[in-house]
Amino acid sequence: GQSLEQPSEVTAVEGAIVQINCTYQTSGFYGLSWYQQHDGGAPTFLSYNALDGLEETGRFSSFLSRSDSYGYLLLQELQMKDSASYFCAVRDQAGTALIFGKGTTLSVSS
Amino acid sequence: GAGVSQSPSNKVTEKGKDVELRCDPISGHTALYWYRQRLGQGLEFLIYFQGNSAPDKSGLPSDRFSAERTGESVSTLTIQRTQQEDSAVYLCASSATGDTEAFFGQGTRLTVV
């Protein structure tokens, strides 16, 4: 089976940078994904890492280290609208279920 | 359709009744997932369908829960003899294949009274 660990809450101010960590345990490994969910909304895809290193998409970046079974989501130039829950998710092989962590609630204040 | 569609959006049912939740995935998506999300909690995996393969039912919490999918289209999640602890948002997602990003529906909020 798979298990994922991420902090339950993170707080930051507008304009700051925040990093949300995720460690995982899987029998195999087929990529680490990140999803964002606003209160009352549906989760939406943010990023996917299959190989080690940093993937950058605008203000958001995601990092993976397969040897450490670790990844993080980096959010820069935080805005109030970034207040949401962020979930990391893994598959242990292609064509299998996507398993999510318990989520990190990010609160951005002015 | 343009996105994943779930119905009903809200369902209130009496304890002990059966409920059926529906998910229409994005056309052409072979993979379909069901998750349960209790208030303020994470996404709890329930069941996964991938093409014509046998579904992965490892997340179903009890034999009161079952799901079906017709080919690569509609899926229904059935909960029999509902209990109060079944109250949650049930989310459906689909993806083009078994290893690409998942697109979620808005969910069905189930309240068991």
Side-chain angles (χ1 to χ4, degrees), chain B residues 19-67:
Chain B
V19 295
E20 194 171 274
L21 313 180
R22 177 186 169 106
C23 173
D24 280 277
I26 293 172
S27 178
H29 279 194
T30 64
L32 187 147
Y33 319 73
W34 283 99
Y35 296 90
R36 178 170 68 180
Q37 187 172 34
R38 293 195 168 105
L39 189 63
Q41 302 298 308
L43 299 171
E44 179 186 359
F45 166 69
L46 296 177
I47 188 168
Y48 169 66
F49 297 89
Q50 170 53 41
N52 295 319
S53 302
D56 177 356
K57 303 180 181 181
S58 61
L60 294 178
S62 76
D63 58 9
R64 297 187 296 105
F65 288 72
S66 62

Side-chain angles (χ1 to χ4, degrees), chain A residues 30 33 35 37 40-45 48 85 87 91 93-103 105, chain B residues 31 33 35 37 40-43 45 48 50 56 91 95 97-107 109:
Chain A
Y30 199 80
S33 301
Y35 286 75
Q37 184 182 33
T44 56
F45 173 81
Y48 172 73
S85 292
F87 297 88
R91 285 187 177 87
Q93 56 184 300
T96 61
L98 189 59
I99 302 301
F100 285 80
K102 294 188 184 303
T105 301
Chain B
Y33 319 73
Y35 296 90
Q37 187 172 34
Q41 302 298 308
L43 299 171
F45 166 69
Y48 169 66
Q50 170 53 41
D56 177 356
L91 290 161
S95 61
T97 65
D99 59 0
T100 52
E101 68 178 275
F103 294 83
F104 281 82
Q106 290 297 314
R109 181 176 299 277

Side-chain angles (χ1 to χ4, degrees), chain B residues 81-101:
Chain B
R81 305 182 301 282
T82 51
Q83 305 293 313
Q84 288 187 326
E85 64 261 27
D86 299 334
S87 295
V89 175
Y90 290 82
L91 290 161
C92 174
S94 70
S95 61
T97 65
D99 59 0
T100 52
E101 68 178 275

Side-chain angles (χ1 to χ4, degrees), chain B residues 64-84:
Chain B
R64 297 187 296 105
F65 288 72
S66 62
E68 293 184 349
R69 186 181 187 192
T70 308
E72 293 183 355
S73 62
V74 171
S75 176
T76 55
L77 176 69
T78 301
I79 309 173
Q80 296 178 306
R81 305 182 301 282
T82 51
Q83 305 293 313
Q84 288 187 326

